[in-house]
Amino acid sequence: MSQNQKHGADQPDIGGPTPKSQRTKIVKSSEDNEKKTLGKKLKDSEICVPIVYGNIAFWLGKKASEYESHKWTVYVRSSTNEDLGVVIKRAVFQLHSSFNNPTRVVEGPPFELSESGWGEFEIVITLHFHSDITEKPLHLYHHLKLYPEEESGPMSMKKPVVVESYDEIVFSEPSEGFLARVQNHPAVIMPRLPSGFLLPPVPMEDIDSGNRGDTKNNPLNQWFTNFSEADELLKLAAARQQVQAHIARLRRQLSLIDGQQQLKSASDV
């Protein structure tokens, strides 16, 4: 089960607040000028971050009890399993009030939370971004799914229930500092920069961070849905073939009906 959505278009000024160094009337040092440069926004451009959020649930089988039938993990990941820590600072998972400490905060990637239980409920996932992106959080809503659909067959300990949604977070008019940090990062789709436009150098701490928060080696990776562009194109091509085959069948049926009507008209004459 998957859904395609896009966030950002209805969120004004998502590019983030203006740094204090641009508002305070003081004599600016070279460090202040550097901050001002990093805080400049690139007009008429946007950065896109494809994400996937959802849950994977494993039935406990004979070990299941009345109040603990499944172990599950809810998460937010890059659609290509890259490190989202370059964009997301923390994720807050709001669970059902029956859980101990239902507000769970994950301070760094991978942004996931594991629990156990028996009931399905809506989980609110709040994403907080780095200060050079925006101070406005983004709220995602996911319905925890534990039990398979009827057409999927009975519950199995070998095959988990997987429910994921594809989404795209769009940041309009990003700051130059944000652009500089993510310019070569595989989790981010960069805008086309103006001719001759030069970005500030990438901070050393961002270079050193690497891909320490990616989910490529996650134990759940084998169950993740592939949301790649090639996969989507194959699905569209298959759907198009089905539609064309259906149209061809309808045309044959219409031809038969027309032929029968012509024969009937000839016999009446």
Side-chain angles (χ1 to χ4, degrees):
M1 181 184 299
S2 65
Q3 300 173 355
N4 292 327
Q5 301 175 349
K6 192 168 184 176
H7 279 288
D10 58 345
Q11 298 184 33
D13 194 29
I14 198 168
T18 303
K20 289 184 179 180
S21 61
Q22 295 188 45
R23 297 200 303 262
T24 307
K25 294 182 180 180
I26 58 175
V27 177
K28 295 179 174 59
S29 64
S30 59
E31 182 179 352
D32 291 326
N33 290 329
E34 182 180 354
K35 289 181 179 180
K36 182 177 180 179
T37 300
L38 293 175
K40 286 183 179 179
K41 295 183 179 181
L42 190 63
K43 302 293 184 181
D44 301 322
S45 64
E46 60 185 29
I47 286 178
C48 179
V49 183
I51 65 167
V52 174
Y53 60 97
N55 78 266
I56 294 179
F58 290 88
W59 180 49
L60 296 178
K62 293 181 179 179
K63 295 182 180 180
S65 63
E66 182 179 1
Y67 296 108
E68 191 172 304
S69 59
H70 291 77
K71 286 188 176 180
W72 51 264
T73 299
V74 61
Y75 50 83
V76 178
R77 65 178 178 87
S78 160
S79 64
T80 54
N81 294 310
E82 301 292 347
D83 185 0
L84 283 179
V86 70
V87 176
I88 301 173
K89 184 177 182 179
R90 77 173 64 89
V92 181
F93 297 87
Q94 186 63 47
L95 307 182
H96 191 271
S97 58
S98 60
F99 282 84
N100 292 328
N101 185 24
T103 303
R104 309 288 177 87
V105 181
V106 179
E107 290 289 352
F111 299 102
E112 61 182 32
L113 173 70
S114 296
E115 259 292 356
S116 60
W118 59 272
E120 298 180 345
F121 55 92
E122 184 178 69
I123 299 176
V124 181
I125 307 171
T126 303
L127 303 181
H128 296 268
F129 305 100
H130 291 288
S131 58
D132 61 350
I133 302 176
T134 179
E135 292 181 349
K136 298 178 181 178
L138 175 66
H139 303 289
L140 304 173
Y141 301 87
H142 173 70
H143 186 82
L144 178 68
K145 185 74 174 174
L146 304 182
Y147 302 94
E149 302 292 343
E150 291 183 4
E151 59 268 22
S152 301
M155 290 189 294
S156 169
M157 293 183 65
K158 295 182 179 180
K159 184 179 180 181
V161 172
V162 182
V163 182
E164 295 190 320
S165 298
Y166 174 87
D167 209 331
E168 293 178 356
I169 308 175
V170 178
F171 300 100
S172 300
E173 299 187 355
S175 69
E176 291 186 13
F178 179 26
L179 282 166
R181 285 199 305 106
V182 303
Q183 58 183 298
N184 295 314
H185 201 284
V188 176
I189 299 176
M190 288 283 288
R192 179 173 295 181
L193 300 176
S195 178
F197 182 84
L198 296 176
L199 286 171
V202 182
M204 287 302 299
E205 59 267 25
D206 293 313
I207 297 176
D208 295 338
S209 63
N211 295 323
R212 65 182 65 164
D214 65 39
T215 52
K216 294 177 181 178
N217 296 319
N218 191 302
L220 301 176
N221 183 288
Q222 61 178 312
W223 307 111
F224 288 163
T225 307
N226 181 7
F227 287 96
S228 70
E229 184 176 353
D231 186 56
E232 293 298 316
L233 289 174
L234 287 174
K235 290 179 182 178
L236 289 173
R240 183 180 180 183
Q241 289 179 350
Q242 290 179 356
V243 171
Q244 289 176 338
H246 184 62
I247 291 173
R249 286 195 299 270
L250 290 175
R251 284 176 175 171
R252 287 196 296 269
Q253 292 174 1
L254 288 173
S255 297
L256 289 173
I257 293 172
D258 289 341
Q260 291 173 356
Q261 289 178 345
Q262 290 175 1
L263 289 173
K264 184 178 181 182
S265 298
S267 62
D268 292 339
V269 173

